[in-house]
Amino acid sequence: MLVTAKDMLDKAKAGKYAVGHFNINNLEWTKAILQTAEELRSPVILGVSEGAGKYMGGFEVVTAMVKAMDKSLGITVPVALHLDHGTYEGCYKCVKAGFSSIMFDGSHFAIDENIQKTTELVHVAHNLGLSIEAEVGAIGGEEDGVVGRGECADPAECKMIADLGVDFLAAGIGNIHGVYPANWEGLSFETLEAVNKAVGAMPLVLHGGTGIPDDMIAKAISLGVAKINVNTECQLVFRDATRAYIEAGKDQQGKGFDPRKLLAPGVEAIKAKVKEKMELFGSVGKA
Ligand code: 13P
């Protein structure tokens, strides 16, 4: 069931759990995530970065694949197809391609320009029945060529953006994309608490979910986080399982080179990782 991310995240914030946003890269990724969500009766958000959209042949291809797969696999849990860290132009492309949700990442603009562009895109998204995420305070690290410094959001600016009518808000709280460096200082719960107070019932989004310790995840959820983005962790377990298969020489045995066999361990590893995260986030059985 392709839906916007609004209802599932409003429910998650009220119920003190989080819905996982898992980035997709191809058919295998999409299928693994959808099947796991269905098995666990969990709502789920499929995140698509602009780079991944391009890789898959364009946003239209992604929408067609997700909609068809949702139907053919008989998925009954709520699924949102969401643009991750969208540019202004990318948001329009995804609206046109039939996504059910978009993120406009205007965090690198001055706050006035972020407000102006977010206002316009909120209007466009809501007129067409999509949900929209905005961002204040950059998420550090690098994702698909988008590099952020990782600064904590200003709660007053968060309130300004929230008041524009966005459906959920990503606020930088010291989180970064990719693997956390050994000297990472951890999440700023002080910032999160202040932002949560400033935005009221609005669900908050935690990017850079890879490698955040379980106790910090639990605390973040208790302070208003209702959507957690995970990308790198699925890539790493896929890599490790594929490497193990090849290093064991299994691709050389019989028809072990068949892509359906070659990619199977990686797919199973993604399923296990998504299951682990859904259990940790508390979204199991919430569909
Ligand atoms: P990670 O790659 O660190 O899990 O971050 C994912 C993310 O925030 C996508 O927007």
Side-chain angles (χ1 to χ4, degrees), residues 21 23 84-85 143 176-178 207-210 229-233:
H21 152 137
N23 287 75
D84 191 22
H85 292 286
E143 186 174 70
I176 64 169
H177 288 128
H207 283 251
T210 292
N229 292 18
V230 179
N231 185 14
T232 308
E233 254 183 275

Side-chain angles (χ1 to χ4, degrees), residues 85-228:
H85 292 286
T87 58
Y88 177 80
E89 297 77 18
C91 284
Y92 275 102
K93 283 186 193 161
C94 287
V95 165
K96 196 162 156 247
F99 274 44
S100 66
S101 190
I102 53 173
M103 172 187 188
F104 171 58
D105 181 355
S107 61
H108 48 283
F109 291 119
I111 188 70
D112 288 350
E113 191 166 358
N114 193 357
I115 287 177
Q116 182 232 319
K117 289 192 161 69
T118 303
T119 304
E120 176 186 322
L121 289 164
V122 164
H123 201 68
V124 170
H126 287 173
N127 273 342
L128 294 165
L130 282 78
S131 51
I132 178 165
E133 171 180 350
E135 178 171 327
V136 181
I139 313 297
E142 187 263 341
E143 186 174 70
D144 263 340
V146 182
V147 181
R149 271 187 303 117
E151 59 195 42
C152 282
D154 172 356
E157 290 187 358
C158 289
K159 174 147 175 55
M160 279 191 248
I161 295 280
D163 285 349
L164 303 176
V166 299
D167 299 296
F168 34 103
L169 183 72
I173 55 166
N175 42 333
I176 64 169
H177 288 128
V179 176
Y180 285 87
N183 61 354
W184 178 51
E185 287 174 15
L187 298 176
S188 167
F189 291 114
E190 204 185 351
T191 306
L192 180 56
E193 216 166 346
V195 170
N196 194 34
K197 218 175 251 169
V199 303
M202 173 158 302
L204 295 172
V205 182
L206 182 61
H207 283 251
T210 292
I212 297 179
D214 293 2
D215 59 331
M216 284 196 199
I217 292 283
K219 187 156 183 196
I221 292 172
S222 77
L223 292 172
V225 164
K227 172 177 182 276
I228 302 177

Side-chain angles (χ1 to χ4, degrees), residues 254-266:
K255 285 261 194 181
F257 57 84
D258 177 337
R260 280 169 274 171
K261 292 200 168 82
L262 185 63
L263 298 177

Side-chain angles (χ1 to χ4, degrees), residues 8 19-22 33-34 37 42-46 77-80 274 278:
M8 63 170 90
V19 176
H21 152 137
F22 300 96
I33 296 164
L34 287 178
S42 169
V44 72
I45 298 169
L46 301 178
V77 297
V79 176
V274 170
M278 287 177 166

